[in-house]
């Protein structure tokens, strides 16, 4: 009982800190215009690379997605650029799975079983998100979802202003604008850390996860499980990282994890939708909804139209990369070089 009360209090504290972080990011972002001009961040390819690299640095995609929305709400980037930055954040978030797999390998686990899960996560995410980005671009440019706009209720927005405006004004008087933005980023990471401590613990050693082997031969079941686990953990990095020990211990096979990853990549947007609401910028909600819908549509098409062909293509790429260390090194080099190139072009 006490543990549940503690988690509820942590969840409330996490929301409070999350809102403070968004307010600081939104205020501090206005001072970053010279930096964006210096870096020539003026296209969707630039923000795609920026989101990708930032997710590498913070080892999570959700904080970067929230940052992209604050930059948009401050008119620092366009809706298309924010959309691309969110896509980049999700591509970068898959890297944490590869990192955990490498650590697992160093601790004595099988190399193929550990590292290949990270490569599989990157391949699955890229093959869904990049076509979804093209679809989402068409949706935003043509205004097909322009009526899907939601902001925070007036009462909530007023309450946020009353509570947080004095805090923000105090910090504005104490810190330079650019430092305010990075302070907001640090507080945002703290908020997600508090959320992690408030959420239910999901252990790959639990009996529920050990029984999952009875279901893995049904792709649509694994798809739903991936959606559910990510909805609970609010982090695709966490829900995909769980797969590393599961695969290493033989509970599930690699090929059965693809639909799980596809489902996880949809519900990972729940916290980003919350950020869009709290920023009270209706167009921000449209951006996230467009991203979520595009990814869901492409995932469902792959799952129900030609899943076997999609799975075989992913498995072929995975086997080709993992066949020798040189190919794996080239793959790792590519996933670092590409986002840098996108940021600089």
């Amino acid at each position: 009982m006490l543990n549940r009360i503690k988690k509820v209090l942590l969840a409330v504290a996490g929301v409070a800190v999350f809102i403070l972080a968004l307010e600081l990011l939104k205020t501090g972002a206005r001072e970053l215009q010279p930096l964006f001009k210096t870096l020539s961040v003026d296209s969707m390819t630039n923000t795609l690379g920026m989101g990708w690299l930032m997710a590498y640095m913070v080892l999570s995609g959700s904080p970067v997605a929230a940052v992209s929305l604050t930059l948009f709400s401050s008119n620092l980037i366009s809706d298309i650029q924010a959309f691309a930055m969110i896509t980049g954040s999700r591509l970068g978030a898959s890297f944490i799975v590869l990192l955990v797999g490498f650590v697992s390998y160093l601790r004595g686990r099988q190399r193929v079983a550990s590292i290949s899960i990270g490569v599989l996560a990157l391949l699955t995410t890229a093959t869904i998100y990049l076509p979804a980005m093209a679809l989402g671009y068409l949706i935003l440019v043509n205004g097909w979802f322009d009526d899907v706009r939601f902001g925070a209720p007036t009462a909530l927005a007023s309450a946020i202003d009353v509570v947080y405006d004095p805090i923000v004004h105090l910090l504005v008087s104490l810190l330079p604008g650019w430092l305010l933005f990075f302070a907001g980023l640090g507080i945002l990471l703290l908020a997600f850390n508090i959320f992690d401590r408030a959420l239910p613990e999901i252990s790959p050693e639990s009996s529920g996860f050990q029984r999952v082997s009875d279901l893995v031969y049904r792709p649509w079941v694994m798809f739903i499980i991936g959606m559910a686990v990510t909805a609970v953990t609010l982090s695709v990095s966490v829900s995909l990282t769980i797969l590393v020990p599961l695969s290493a211990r033989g509970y599930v096979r690699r090929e059965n994890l693809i639909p799980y990853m596809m489902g996880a990549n949809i519900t990972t947007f729940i916290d980003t939708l919350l950020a869009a609401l709290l920023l009270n910028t209706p167009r921000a909600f449209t951006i996230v909804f467009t991203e979520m819908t595009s990814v869901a549509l492409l995932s469902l098409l792959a799952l129900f139209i030609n899943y076997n062909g999609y799975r075989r293509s992913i498995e072929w790429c995975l086997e080709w990369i993992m066949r020798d260390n040189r190919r794996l090194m080239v793959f790792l080099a590519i996933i670092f070089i590409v986002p840098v190139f996108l940021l600089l072009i």
Side-chain angles (χ1 to χ4, degrees), residues 109 202-211 242 245-246 249 251:
R109 302 293 179 188
I202 300 179
S203 171
E205 303 292 343
S206 65
S207 59
F209 270 97
Q210 293 185 27
R211 287 195 301 269
I242 291 172
L246 285 175
R249 290 172 174 81
Y251 294 145

Side-chain angles (χ1 to χ4, degrees), residues 97 116-125 128-129 222-223 226-227 230 236 239-240 243 254 256-266 295 299 314:
V97 189
S116 63
I117 299 300
V119 178
L120 184 66
L122 285 161
L123 291 173
T124 303
T125 300
I128 294 295
Y129 269 77
M222 290 299 289
F223 182 80
M227 292 182 66
T230 308
V236 72
S239 63
L240 294 187
L243 302 178
R254 269 198 331 250
N256 304 127
L257 297 177
I258 295 174
Y260 177 100
M261 295 173 178
M262 293 164 64
N265 280 330
I266 297 173
V295 171
S299 299
I314 293 293

Side-chain angles (χ1 to χ4, degrees), residues 32-302:
L32 296 182
Q33 186 73 38
L35 176 62
F36 272 64
K37 288 183 178 179
T38 300
L39 295 175
S40 298
V41 181
D42 54 9
S43 69
M44 64 181 297
T45 53
N46 295 152
T47 53
L48 174 65
M50 177 183 289
W52 198 335
L53 289 172
M54 286 182 66
Y56 282 171
M57 289 187 285
V58 301
L59 294 179
S60 180
S62 294
V64 180
V67 168
S68 72
L69 295 180
T70 62
L71 294 175
F72 168 72
S73 67
S74 301
N75 297 316
L76 205 58
I77 59 177
S78 68
D79 54 353
I80 299 296
Q81 289 176 295
F83 176 80
M85 189 170 176
I86 293 172
T87 300
S89 74
R90 300 309 176 189
L91 291 169
S94 300
F95 174 74
I96 184 62
V97 189
L98 184 60
L99 180 62
V100 171
F102 181 71
V103 172
S104 179
Y105 165 62
L106 293 179
R107 294 175 61 188
R109 302 293 179 188
Q110 293 182 2
R111 171 181 175 274
V112 173
S114 299
I115 299 178
S116 63
I117 299 300
V119 178
L120 184 66
L122 285 161
L123 291 173
T124 303
T125 300
T127 53
I128 294 295
Y129 269 77
L130 294 179
M133 185 172 69
L135 175 60
Y137 175 83
L138 290 176
I139 293 173
L140 289 172
V141 168
N142 290 286
W144 296 338
F145 287 169
D146 280 0
D147 292 335
V148 185
R149 289 170 173 253
F150 293 96
T154 303
L156 177 59
S158 298
I160 290 174
D161 290 341
V162 169
V163 173
Y164 290 97
D165 276 359
I167 301 174
V168 173
H169 289 154
L170 175 62
L171 292 175
V172 165
S173 66
L174 297 175
L175 300 173
W178 63 270
L179 187 56
L180 195 69
F181 177 85
F182 290 103
L185 179 58
I187 293 174
L188 185 65
L189 295 176
L190 174 63
F192 278 101
N193 181 264
I194 295 173
F195 280 137
D196 287 343
R197 293 166 59 191
L199 293 170
E201 295 181 4
I202 300 179
S203 171
E205 303 292 343
S206 65
S207 59
F209 270 97
Q210 293 185 27
R211 287 195 301 269
V212 79
S213 58
D214 297 332
L215 303 171
V216 296
Y217 295 106
R218 302 184 182 97
W220 64 271
V221 173
M222 290 299 289
F223 182 80
I224 293 173
I225 291 175
M227 292 182 66
V229 173
T230 308
V232 170
T233 61
L234 294 179
S235 172
V236 72
S237 299
V238 173
S239 63
L240 294 187
T241 298
I242 291 172
L243 302 178
V244 175
L246 285 175
S247 179
R249 290 172 174 81
Y251 294 145
V252 289
R253 295 191 315 201
R254 269 198 331 250
E255 61 268 25
N256 304 127
L257 297 177
I258 295 174
Y260 177 100
M261 295 173 178
M262 293 164 64
N265 280 330
I266 297 173
T267 50
T268 187
F269 289 106
I270 291 176
D271 54 1
T272 312
L273 284 172
L274 175 62
L277 287 172
L278 293 174
L279 285 168
N280 202 25
T281 306
R283 182 64 173 173
F285 188 93
T286 308
I287 295 169
V288 182
F289 181 80
T290 299
E291 182 100 46
M292 191 173 186
T293 303
S294 301
V295 171
L297 180 59
L298 268 293
S299 299
L300 290 172
L301 286 175

